[in-house]
């Protein structure tokens, strides 16, 4: 069985983009993979997080994942800072990664914007920690949204350079799993920008805890163009907002753009938006209520994360210890957890 690893930042309420691009695929993949899912709090602090909020958001993200159907007994769910091997392998990878590679990362350019001199070094180097997250488990498949593709290519470059530099075949090749018609959900206000937890406008996104009225209002106000929906997928060319709403509809009904348009082509956006709202409410309301149920029992969430961290550490400690041996670190018996 192939081993899967993926992560999500606890930097706010998950959006419909996180759900369709990642979380629901994570749940589906549990049937035929060994899955390790991580709430990546080390990644979250690459941008300032209020300490009290970070702990709460970590619990909330775990609750959302459990509500989306992650099974913490059959698989592993934990928070990244609880397993120190991520940071240990991260450091080794910082020394393998070339600056030229990081300079090509488009997400850094987007997030840093014009304020490059003033963002954290962590934000710049974070794709190397992401490589360590995955490779610490020798995981080979990584379900993510389209925006993470470039980071996974970098992870393969890092693995290959490590293997080359140390003359080993130690780290495997990893394969991105970028699935379905909503691998890149766009902002409801601007079809050329990604839907994001950190967008200043709450109207730009559906949050997984939005109630039916909020969902209806956001979809009603979502930007569209003046034409009715086309009858075929080619007609979405040059119409990013229409493509986005059709893609969301397709993902929620497990179909594709073409079959949504076969049914809804020719309709105006008013009617289509009503159908989309009903569908969103039907799919998201149970997740919101299940999340609330988990959040009413923070002790149970923490028990899941504690157990997950122990099982995650048991898998990655020997792999990271071997990477440290390959690098030439002197192993002082009994001093470092996980070293033989
Ligand atoms: P993060 O927290 O930004 O996003 C978590 C997951 O949600 C996906 N996603 C989207 N998919 C479709 N449309 C969108 N608008 C959208 N917004 C977000 C992301 O692609 C991602 O799959 N660096 C990662 C977390 C990470 C990780 C890892 C992922 C850390 N270590 C190792 C995989 C493997 C991140 O910041 O994701």
């Amino acid at each position: 069985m192939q081993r899967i690893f993926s992560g999500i930042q606890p930097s706010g309420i998950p959006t419909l983009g996180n759900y369709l691009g990642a979380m629901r695929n994570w749940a589906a993949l549990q049937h035929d993979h060994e899955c390790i899912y991580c709430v990546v709090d080390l990644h979250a602090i690459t941008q300032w997080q209020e300490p009290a909020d970070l702990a709460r958001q970590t619990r909330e993200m775990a609750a959302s994942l459990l509500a989306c159907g992650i099974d913490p007994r059959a698989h592993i769910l934990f928070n990244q800072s609880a397993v120190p091997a991520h940071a240990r392998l991260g450091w080794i990878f910082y020394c393998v990664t070339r600056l030229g590679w990081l300079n090509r990362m488009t997400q850094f350019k987007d997030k840093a914007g014009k304020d490059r001199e003033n963002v954290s070094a962590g934000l710049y180097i974070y794709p190397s920690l992401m490589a360590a997250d995955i490779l610490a488990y020798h995981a080979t498949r990584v379900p993510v949204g389209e925006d993470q593709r470039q980071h996974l290519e970098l992870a393969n470059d890092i693995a290959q350079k490590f293997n080359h530099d140390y003359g080993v075949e130690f780290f495997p090749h990893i394969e991105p799993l970028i699935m379905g018609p909503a691998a890149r959900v766009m902002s409801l206000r601007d079809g050329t920008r990604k839907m994001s937890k950190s967008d200043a406008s709450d109207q730009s996104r559906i949050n997984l805890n939005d109630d039916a009225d909020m969902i209806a209002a956001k979809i009603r106000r979502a930007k569209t163009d003046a034409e009715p929906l086309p009858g075929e997928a080619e007609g979405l060319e040059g119409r990013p907002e229409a493509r986005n709403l059709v893609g969301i509809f397709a993902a929620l009904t497990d179909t594709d753009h073409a079959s949504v348009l076969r049914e809804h082509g020719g309709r105006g956006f008013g009617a289509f938006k009503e159908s989309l709202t009903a569908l969103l409410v039907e799919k998201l309301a149970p997740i919101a209520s299940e999340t609330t149920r988990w959040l009413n029992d923070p002790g149970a969430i923490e028990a899941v994360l504690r157990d997950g961290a122990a099982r995650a550490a048991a898998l990655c400690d020997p792999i990271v210890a071997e990477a440290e041996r390959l690098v030439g670190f002197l192993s002082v018996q009994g001093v470092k957890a996980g070293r033989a």
Side-chain angles (χ1 to χ4, degrees):
M1 217 192 302
Q2 299 232 36
R3 184 175 285 176
I4 279 191
F5 183 96
S6 200
I8 187 163
Q9 296 198 37
S11 50
I13 305 292
T15 69
L16 182 65
N18 296 127
Y19 177 64
L20 295 178
M23 300 162 85
R24 85 184 188 131
N25 301 331
W26 295 9
L29 287 160
Q30 295 177 119
H31 300 299
D32 46 7
H33 292 83
E34 176 194 4
C35 302
I36 305 163
Y37 295 131
C38 185
V39 181
V40 290
D41 46 8
L42 298 184
H43 286 272
I45 64 162
T46 57
Q47 293 178 297
W48 171 253
Q49 305 290 327
E50 218 42 65
D53 291 346
L54 182 59
R56 179 178 47 75
Q57 287 171 185
T58 301
R59 237 183 267 113
E60 286 173 359
M61 185 56 78
S64 293
L65 289 167
L66 291 163
C68 287
I70 301 306
D71 176 351
R73 276 180 295 274
H75 301 276
I76 292 180
L77 177 64
F78 72 107
N79 63 314
Q80 190 183 21
S81 63
V83 180
H86 290 244
R88 281 158 52 202
L89 185 60
W91 181 259
I92 293 174
F93 281 180
Y94 302 153
C95 300
V96 173
T97 309
R98 303 295 93 181
L99 284 188
W101 301 353
L102 291 173
N103 287 338
R104 289 200 290 272
M105 294 297 116
T106 56
Q107 191 174 84
F108 175 77
K109 292 180 196 161
D110 290 348
K111 285 194 176 177
K114 292 197 183 68
D115 198 21
R116 267 220 194 173
E117 296 291 308
N118 204 28
V119 295
S120 76
L123 187 67
Y124 184 66
I125 198 73
Y126 120 124
S128 304
L129 181 60
M130 187 170 152
D133 297 337
I134 302 160
L135 290 164
Y137 298 87
H138 279 178
T140 50
R141 314 190 89 191
V142 186
V144 287
E146 179 63 45
D147 62 327
Q148 296 298 324
R149 184 189 292 279
Q150 195 185 30
H151 292 160
L152 297 184
E153 286 165 4
L154 180 86
N156 275 326
D157 290 342
I158 292 172
Q160 224 174 52
K161 182 160 168 60
F162 180 99
N163 289 345
H164 174 267
D165 289 358
Y166 294 100
V168 290
E169 270 308 317
F170 186 60
F171 288 116
H173 182 83
I174 64 181
E175 190 193 332
L177 298 179
I178 298 173
M179 298 156 68
R184 187 174 180 81
V185 177
M186 308 310 279
S187 156
L188 300 177
R189 309 300 303 161
D190 176 353
T192 64
R193 291 167 58 92
K194 191 182 72 166
M195 182 181 285
S196 160
K197 302 183 200 98
S198 54
D199 194 309
S201 163
D202 192 57
Q203 296 297 315
S204 70
R205 60 178 165 262
I206 304 283
N207 304 308
L208 287 198
N209 64 353
D210 283 347
D211 63 23
D213 289 345
M214 280 160 121
I215 293 174
K218 287 177 178 178
I219 295 294
R220 204 179 315 115
R221 282 187 217 125
K223 186 175 167 198
T224 49
D225 53 37
E227 302 293 313
L229 283 170
E232 286 166 5
E234 294 72 46
L236 294 170
E237 226 31 62
R239 301 179 64 187
E241 285 83 15
R243 162 173 285 282
N244 190 38
L245 296 184
V246 171
I248 293 170
F249 199 103
L252 291 169
T253 48
D254 290 311
T255 56
D256 55 16
H257 292 87
S259 47
V260 174
L261 293 174
R262 259 196 304 281
E263 202 182 326
H264 297 275
R267 293 174 85 194
F269 277 105
F272 181 67
K273 282 176 165 182
E274 273 179 33
S275 308
L276 179 58
T277 298
L279 190 57
L280 280 164
V281 171
E282 177 197 325
K283 301 285 181 187
L284 300 188
I287 297 175
S289 64
E290 187 62 9
T291 304
T292 307
R293 202 182 61 77
W294 274 101
L295 287 173
N296 284 333
D297 191 353
I301 299 174
E302 281 169 30
V304 163
L305 294 176
R306 196 176 315 115
D307 172 66
R311 286 157 56 219
L315 292 178
C316 70
D317 278 346
I319 294 174
V320 173
E322 178 60 12
E324 289 173 330
R325 194 190 64 78
L326 290 169
V327 167
F329 291 164
L330 175 65
S331 172
V332 183
Q333 285 284 331
V335 171
K336 197 178 245 176
R339 302 287 291 276

